[in-house]
Amino acid sequence: MADLMHRRGLLQMSGAVIAAPYLWLPTRAEEPQWATQTVAPFVEVEIASGKIKGGHSRGALAFKAIPYAGSVSGKNRFKAPPPVESWTGVRDCTRLGSPAPQGPGTTFGEHEPKPAEDCLILNVWTPAVKDGGKRPVMFYLHGGGFTTGSGGQNIQDGSHLAATYDVVVVAINHRLGLLGYLYLGELGDYPESGNQGQLDMVAALSWVKQNISVFGGDPNNVMVFGESGGGYKTAMLMGMPSAHGLFHKAGIQSGPGLRGMSRAEATETTRRVLAAFNLTDPAKLFDVPVEKILGLQLAEGKGALATPTKEWAAHHAPKPGDRSMAGTFGPVTDGKVLPADPFDPVPTPLSASMPLLIGNTRDEAVFFYRDDPAFFKKDEAAVRAMAQQALGAKGDEVLALYKKNRPNASPAELVIAVATAMSFGNDTITLADRKSQQPAPVYRYRYDYQSNAPVKGSDWTIRAGHASDISLVFLNQEILDLQGNGPGLNEAAHAMSSYFTSFARNAAPKAANQPAWPRYSTAKRPVMLINSQCQVVNDPDSEERKFWQSRG
């Protein structure tokens, strides 16, 4: 996946709460130096591994960089995370922790330390502590594909969501890239390798089960959700026996994960990693400095692991229905940690009783072309060449169909519509269709709010592009980002955050002054179009859906 750009929030707000014996109520706290800073008065609580200190942030309590597992460096690389080690004294949890190793400019946090191999920490935002609360827990998995990102990005800060809707929000960092998803299962006795990043998430969910009641959360009402790569990770968790019972609802935003990477494909990648380091013994990978591992991971994007064989190249070429979000590194359907592809060809039975909220943005692909302003000026001939390259003989047929349904669309707008369907839209529909055959309800949406954030070097805006919905889910629309600052933004943010939090509470998405959201089925295919004024439409763009589904 393309990396989200690092952006600093512009919002300056004063947090506000003081102590009662066990409950924290609104009052004035210390003025923060940046929007999401954790400030005094500070708060101490005790969890299973020791005492921690948090503070106030934007109307809620925040506890950051809490360890949920032990060290995963050295001899613990490529393995399931070990238990967290206890500590004495009071651990300062007022600042963000390190994200997983990744390239410069790709971390998401504001005032975040540099990446580190030992990165298994989580952040908690809550309205109150030690009050006997039974609040829904919203457990967020960050985007950035499987190679970048962190749970500390400012627009994903959980303070507003916790304070406004009386929920507990958790966001985690976990292993990424080679350290999180390199598969050694066919080359030695490494039973958890290939999915160690996913097992980090299971460890964090186990931490939630053990500790979240201290923060007023209900361990028996946990929703896992995520955007982009975070949505894909959520789908994979739904098919993991070790995660079963640790969460009870799921939300997938622009990240429909139908299947994992095959063992053969993952093993071939590993052989090429070993060759790149001039190694024959996988055990020697434990001694490779993390800087070299990250260097190879970054170089892979430039073909460092490429091979002249057409078969291997075909596995790694993005195409509709493939694991293009995972790229070279991602969860492996190994028959153990991930026994089967979660939603291909049928949904995992592990998800049968789990309600699902799923959707994508209307103009996803704008995000991925935003660094190429010349794209937005392409003429019909150039667009036709792009379609033929991507779809072969079907290219002209696809363009003709989309042009018929969008007679006033520019050439670039046609490409955006087609690319959005191929990258996220089609698999979102497929996953929703298959999951809807199970007893638990499915609710499908399309995010339509049109951002006015400019695309540099063009006369375009981001529109309803990929990742422009993140800040709205978290009710952080004041922090300037991809969502822009146009009319109707507040209404759209309250609608989307209300739908998500009410779904987390009781699996029934609702929002004040917005329409009721019907359960999804393949009979009518109702989709909530989320905007400043939402609406339900049955089977939007049905002709295009039928075309793609006819292709298989």
Side-chain angles (χ1 to χ4, degrees), residues 200-489:
D200 294 344
M201 301 167 205
V202 174
L205 285 167
S206 297
W207 183 96
V208 166
K209 185 176 182 65
Q210 184 178 25
N211 295 286
I212 207 65
S213 60
V214 173
F215 303 91
D218 183 356
N220 296 311
N221 189 10
V222 178
M223 173 186 176
V224 173
F225 69 118
E227 189 272 344
S228 193
Y232 203 110
K233 296 162 195 172
T234 300
M236 298 299 109
L237 279 177
M238 293 171 76
M240 293 173 57
S242 58
H244 188 62
L246 295 177
F247 68 110
H248 315 92
K249 305 177 186 73
I252 296 175
Q253 302 168 245
S254 302
L258 300 179
R259 60 186 73 84
M261 193 173 291
S262 72
R263 286 179 291 180
E265 180 182 359
T267 299
E268 182 62 24
T269 295
T270 303
R271 292 187 191 280
R272 301 197 176 278
V273 168
L274 291 170
F277 288 128
N278 197 26
L279 298 174
T280 56
D281 181 2
K284 297 295 184 182
L285 287 169
F286 290 79
D287 302 321
V288 177
V290 67
E291 294 79 13
K292 288 189 175 181
I293 289 177
L294 177 59
L296 179 61
Q297 181 176 310
L298 296 175
E300 188 277 331
K302 300 178 181 179
L305 301 179
T307 170
T309 64
K310 293 181 179 179
E311 291 79 7
W312 191 84
H315 274 305
H316 292 77
K319 53 183 179 291
D322 199 6
R323 301 166 287 284
S324 54
M325 286 185 65
T328 306
F329 315 114
V332 180
T333 305
D334 62 351
K336 299 174 183 176
V337 176
L338 186 60
D341 291 327
F343 292 99
D344 188 44
V346 296
T348 170
L350 294 173
S351 73
S353 62
M354 183 176 291
L356 173 66
L357 184 65
I358 184 170
N360 62 285
T361 71
R362 196 189 75 175
D363 309 308
E364 298 272 8
V366 175
F367 177 88
F368 302 102
Y369 287 108
R370 75 195 188 285
D371 294 327
D372 180 18
F375 161 78
F376 298 98
K377 300 176 182 178
K378 288 186 180 294
D379 58 21
E380 290 188 16
V383 165
R384 188 177 301 110
M386 292 177 67
Q388 290 171 347
Q389 182 179 12
L391 295 163
K394 288 282 186 181
D396 288 341
E397 182 181 353
V398 172
L399 284 179
L401 172 62
Y402 275 71
K403 181 67 174 177
K404 184 188 75 171
N405 293 333
R406 296 165 173 78
N408 297 320
S410 69
E413 286 173 326
L414 293 178
V415 173
I416 292 299
V418 173
T420 294
M422 293 176 65
S423 58
F424 297 97
N426 295 338
D427 280 0
T428 293
I429 295 171
T430 297
L431 199 156
D433 284 357
R434 292 173 178 174
K435 179 71 176 71
S436 69
Q437 304 307 308
Q438 294 184 325
V442 173
Y443 297 91
R444 185 180 150 215
Y445 71 87
R446 190 182 74 192
Y447 176 80
D448 279 12
Y449 179 78
Q450 297 291 289
S451 169
N452 64 357
V455 174
K456 291 182 180 179
S458 78
D459 59 357
W460 272 59
T461 60
I462 291 293
R463 303 189 182 188
H466 186 71
S468 66
D469 58 330
I470 297 174
S471 64
L472 280 74
V473 170
F474 284 89
L475 202 60
N476 285 330
Q477 70 275 17
E478 298 96 335
I479 300 179
L480 192 60
D481 200 79
L482 291 175
Q483 78 281 357
N485 58 1
L489 177 62

Side-chain angles (χ1 to χ4, degrees), residues 1-159:
M1 290 294 296
D3 302 334
L4 288 174
M5 298 175 63
H6 176 73
R7 305 170 186 86
R8 300 203 174 190
L10 303 181
L11 174 65
Q12 293 293 324
M13 297 188 65
S14 55
V17 287
I18 67 165
Y22 290 108
L23 183 65
W24 295 80
L25 301 173
T27 189
R28 184 173 178 80
E30 178 182 307
E31 188 75 16
Q33 298 178 43
W34 60 88
T36 58
Q37 183 185 18
T38 305
V39 297
F42 297 113
V43 186
E44 291 184 11
V45 297
E46 186 167 5
I47 57 176
S49 48
K51 293 181 179 180
I52 60 174
K53 180 180 76 172
H56 293 77
S57 178
R58 306 163 78 219
L61 298 177
F63 300 82
K64 299 177 180 179
I66 307 171
Y68 63 82
S71 172
V72 288
S73 59
K75 62 181 176 59
N76 289 334
R77 274 185 187 169
F78 313 119
K79 298 178 181 178
V84 64
E85 295 183 3
S86 300
W87 55 82
T88 57
V90 180
R91 188 181 189 97
D92 188 343
C93 291
T94 61
R95 289 185 174 269
L96 295 170
S98 294
Q102 54 195 282
T106 59
T107 57
F108 291 171
E110 184 181 50
H111 300 278
E112 186 176 43
K114 65 181 182 180
E117 186 168 2
D118 283 320
C119 60
L120 304 192
I121 56 92
L122 55 77
N123 310 313
V124 178
W125 297 269
T126 181
V129 296
K130 299 184 296 185
D131 68 337
K134 291 288 186 181
R135 300 176 179 87
V137 180
M138 300 182 70
F139 182 100
Y140 186 71
L141 298 173
H142 66 73
F146 291 91
T147 56
T148 69
S150 104
Q153 188 189 15
N154 55 4
I155 60 168
Q156 297 167 2
D157 181 274
S159 299

